[in-house]
Amino acid sequence: MWTDAIEDAIAKTLQNIDRFGEKFPHVSRNGTYELNDNNDWTDGFWSGMLWLSYEYSGDERFRQAAEATVASFHKRLRDHVVLDHHDIGFLYSLSSKAQWIVTRDESARQLTLQAADVLMKRWREPGGYIQAWGRKEDAKEAGRIIIDCLLNLPLLYWASEQTGDPAYREAAVLQAEKSRRFLVRGDDSSYHTFFFNPETGEPIGGATHQGYSNGSTWTRGQAWGVYGFALSYRYTKNPLFLESAKRLARYFLEHLPEDHVAYWDFNAPVQEGTYRDSSASAIVAAGLLELLSHLEDQDSDRAYFQEMLLKSMTSLVERYATIGEEDAEGLLKHGSYYVHGGVSPDDYMIWGDYFYLEALMRMEKGITGYWHERV
Ligand code: GLY
């Protein structure tokens, strides 16, 4: 089943190289991907899909297309195009870092290190955190962290590994600790965002941006937490990060509906037509694979996570994937971007497609994505 799903995904990705040309897919409207000129937070995912497809197939068309995206990311960094946000980690881990991991191209490694330097400029004192969005002078955003940032931290951990400079890693560790303390709640659910007073660093309180309400648990935020803490554990071996990944994963999995794919927010009232977020489940599937790679055989959580991974992935493949729909642009239906904002509440999300493919590749071929060096 996994091989068929991968073959279908690779065929669609190949078709999309021609469809998308030099542009980058973001989210769909009515089944058609909105494209941009490499100026959104999501543009690394397309690059990552091309690198995964190249690694799986060895087909040079994927490699050429992937390298063209990295050339575009060179220009983006040079011209500082829409980089006043923390998602530099998403952008450059899956594009230039992927190229470095796959081909050992030195200029790709250098570009990735420069991207890590740009991300470091978002470090804020006295609060001691990475500002999520906007410029330093933006009073509304200066005190905000968000849980999604945990997936940006691997870029910093990696930069310390590569350069021997501990500063990147120290920032990443402090951000992960801060996220654990302020974004994760006592019952293992999570806030999407948390505000600090930027002048004093004092904590103010949790809030949401894309979730149902300030105190609710936005499922994709919880998903970023699962994978992000597992990755922070990989780089630091701090058992508290492993514990957080496990606890957030359990919360996510225990609150799934019968078909094992998440609604868009765990607190959204469930009624006919409540939106799903298949992308959250795809992120958690990839995150569970990372988590499982750190659990001992005798770990009492292992069997549960393994079982739930298979249930979720089976449901994604059988009920949400576009397998057999030859003209479909996306791989996973029923993702939601920003339900209350009215933006693509039931569509393809390019990150949903990426994490679905990453999870399949990891299960079937041991290809682990581009968040860390291969071991
Ligand atoms: N990182 C933004 C999102 O998940 O929508």
Side-chain angles (χ1 to χ4, degrees):
M1 178 165 85
W2 311 133
T3 308
D4 288 349
I6 292 174
E7 294 289 340
D8 184 272
I10 298 277
K12 290 196 170 92
T13 305
L14 191 58
Q15 274 179 17
N16 283 341
I17 292 177
D18 290 333
R19 279 195 181 121
F20 299 159
E22 292 180 1
K23 301 217 175 238
F24 290 77
H26 174 54
V27 294
S28 72
R29 302 242 184 191
N30 303 317
T32 302
Y33 262 117
E34 287 180 356
L35 303 177
N36 64 63
D37 294 319
N38 199 357
N39 55 20
D40 216 317
W41 73 274
T42 49
D43 297 326
F45 297 112
W46 172 234
S47 194
M49 289 178 73
L50 292 167
W51 286 115
L52 288 175
S53 300
Y54 172 63
E55 286 205 87
Y56 177 82
S57 67
D59 185 331
E60 286 297 321
R61 289 173 292 181
F62 289 117
R63 180 182 168 132
Q64 280 162 17
E67 285 179 355
T69 65
V70 178
S72 171
F73 277 103
H74 262 283
K75 287 204 203 88
R76 182 165 179 175
L77 201 78
R78 184 196 66 198
D79 300 340
H80 200 83
V81 177
V82 195
L83 290 178
D84 287 322
H85 56 71
H86 62 165
D87 289 327
I88 294 157
F90 280 114
L91 296 174
Y92 286 86
S93 295
L94 301 181
S95 59
S96 54
K97 179 141 77 74
Q99 180 170 7
W100 160 251
I101 288 171
V102 177
T103 72
R104 286 306 193 229
D105 179 285
E106 178 59 20
S107 69
R109 189 178 87 96
Q110 290 300 333
L111 176 62
T112 316
L113 290 172
Q114 286 166 25
D117 287 335
V118 176
L119 181 53
M120 283 294 278
K121 295 208 169 77
R122 304 193 64 75
W123 183 254
R124 299 290 178 255
E125 294 291 352
Y129 55 80
I130 293 172
Q131 179 181 336
W133 299 325
R135 298 170 76 93
K136 195 174 185 177
E137 351 12 287
D138 180 342
K140 186 168 156 278
E141 293 299 340
R144 190 202 291 268
I145 64 167
I146 73 173
I147 196 163
D148 319 28
C149 189
L150 289 162
L151 265 284
N152 291 316
L153 303 184
L155 178 64
L156 300 181
Y157 291 124
W158 174 87
S160 274
E161 275 181 359
Q162 293 291 314
T163 61
D165 178 348
Y168 307 94
R169 177 189 167 92
E170 282 163 15
V173 167
L174 289 171
Q175 179 74 15
E177 284 172 349
K178 201 137 228 167
S179 302
R180 199 173 167 272
R181 177 152 175 223
F182 293 101
L183 289 164
V184 179
R185 293 183 289 236
D187 65 351
D188 305 330
S189 66
S190 56
Y191 287 117
H192 180 197
T193 92
F194 197 96
F195 285 96
F196 299 88
N197 179 326
E199 309 295 330
T200 64
E202 286 293 303
I204 296 173
T208 198
H209 180 66
Q210 279 145 286
Y212 178 73
S213 65
N214 282 337
S216 74
T217 301
W218 179 51
T219 48
R220 194 156 70 250
Q222 188 85 6
W224 295 133
V226 172
Y227 202 169
F229 281 121
L231 286 166
S232 271
Y233 176 70
R234 170 181 285 274
Y235 280 103
T236 63
K237 294 291 177 278
N238 178 344
L240 294 177
F241 294 149
L242 186 64
E243 186 191 304
S244 291
K246 285 166 90 170
R247 292 173 79 132
L248 267 70
R250 237 180 209 281
Y251 185 96
F252 188 100
L253 299 168
E254 285 174 357
H255 289 80
L256 290 177
E258 270 179 16
D259 77 351
H260 303 287
V261 172
Y263 288 107
W264 67 283
D265 189 295
F266 287 118
N267 299 95
V270 176
Q271 53 210 24
E272 184 138 2
T274 299
Y275 294 116
R276 303 280 176 160
D277 183 8
S278 58
S279 77
S281 283
I283 295 162
V284 166
L288 285 176
L289 284 156
E290 176 68 26
L291 183 52
L292 282 161
S293 76
H294 301 298
L295 299 188
E296 306 289 341
D297 286 348
Q298 63 273 22
D299 191 303
S300 57
D301 287 320
R302 219 188 143 78
Y304 174 67
F305 289 141
Q306 188 76 46
E307 182 196 335
M308 295 305 279
L309 167 68
L310 291 182
K311 285 186 168 156
S312 292
M313 280 306 289
T314 302
S315 187
L316 288 176
V317 167
E318 290 182 347
R319 299 169 208 237
Y320 290 79
T322 55
I323 295 168
E325 298 174 36
E326 278 176 23
D327 291 332
E329 290 188 0
L331 306 184
L332 267 194
K333 296 185 264 199
H334 310 308
S336 60
Y337 187 26
Y338 184 12
V339 171
H340 277 174
V343 188
S344 293
D346 186 17
D347 289 272
Y348 304 131
M349 314 279 113
I350 195 62
W351 60 89
D353 289 359
Y354 171 80
F355 284 103
Y356 166 73
L357 187 58
E358 188 194 287
L360 285 169
M361 291 283 182
R362 192 159 179 159
M363 288 194 302
E364 195 60 14
K365 288 279 162 196
I367 298 171
T368 52
Y370 309 109
W371 308 103
H372 53 83
E373 293 284 328
R374 301 278 162 76
V375 285

